[in-house]
Amino acid sequence: MTQNFILSVTDTPAPADLAGVFDGLRAYNEASLGRPYDRRDLVAVARDADGTLKGGLVGYTNWDWLYVDLLWVDDSTRGSGLGGRLLAEAEAEAKTRGCRWSRLYTYDFQAPGFYPKQGYQVWAEMEGYPPGHKQIWFRKELA
C-alpha cells in the first residue's frame, strides 16, 4: 500500500519538529539497545581576569562516550596549554559520568597534530571534505 506524504525541507525548523524527530529516534534506540539514552551536554570555557572568553569546548556524553563537537582557543592563547586543559577537564567530567571513550574530529587545516599529543589516535579520514582538504576522526580510551 502506497502512502502519500507531504515532505518539507527548511533551515528554520519548528521546535516541535526537532523534538519529535529527537524523541522518536531516542525511543527507537532505547528499545533496540535496552538501555536509556543518557545524553548530557558538557561545556568547558575559559575566561581571562576581565571575563573575556578565551577558549571553550562544547560536546556531550552518551552511552559511555564523550563526544567533542567543538574545541576553540583564541589566537592570543594558542600555545599556552589552554586547549589541553579544556580537553582534560572535559575528559575528567566524562569519566565521572561513566564514559570510557572519547571521539572527535578536526580538519587538516585546524589542529590535527594537537590531538595525538593528548593521547588520541586517528581512526578515520575523509578526503575531499571540505573540498581540497580532509576531515580527520580521532578516538581515545578514557578508562
Side-chain angles (χ1 to χ4, degrees), residues 66-133:
L66 165 62
Y67 295 83
V68 177
D69 287 331
L70 306 169
L71 176 58
W72 166 78
V73 175
D74 184 75
D75 288 342
S76 68
T77 61
R78 296 238 166 115
S80 70
L82 180 58
R85 287 177 57 203
L86 288 164
L87 192 54
E89 289 295 322
E91 291 170 357
E93 173 60 23
K95 286 184 201 178
T96 68
R97 297 180 185 187
C99 292
R100 298 171 46 200
W101 301 280
S102 176
R103 76 96 176 116
L104 56 87
Y105 67 83
T106 190
Y107 298 95
D108 60 356
F109 58 88
Q110 288 180 329
F114 168 77
Y115 295 104
K117 294 174 187 173
Q118 311 308 313
Y120 284 77
Q121 297 178 327
V122 174
W123 65 273
E125 295 184 359
M126 185 170 26
E127 295 288 342
Y129 185 72
H133 295 278

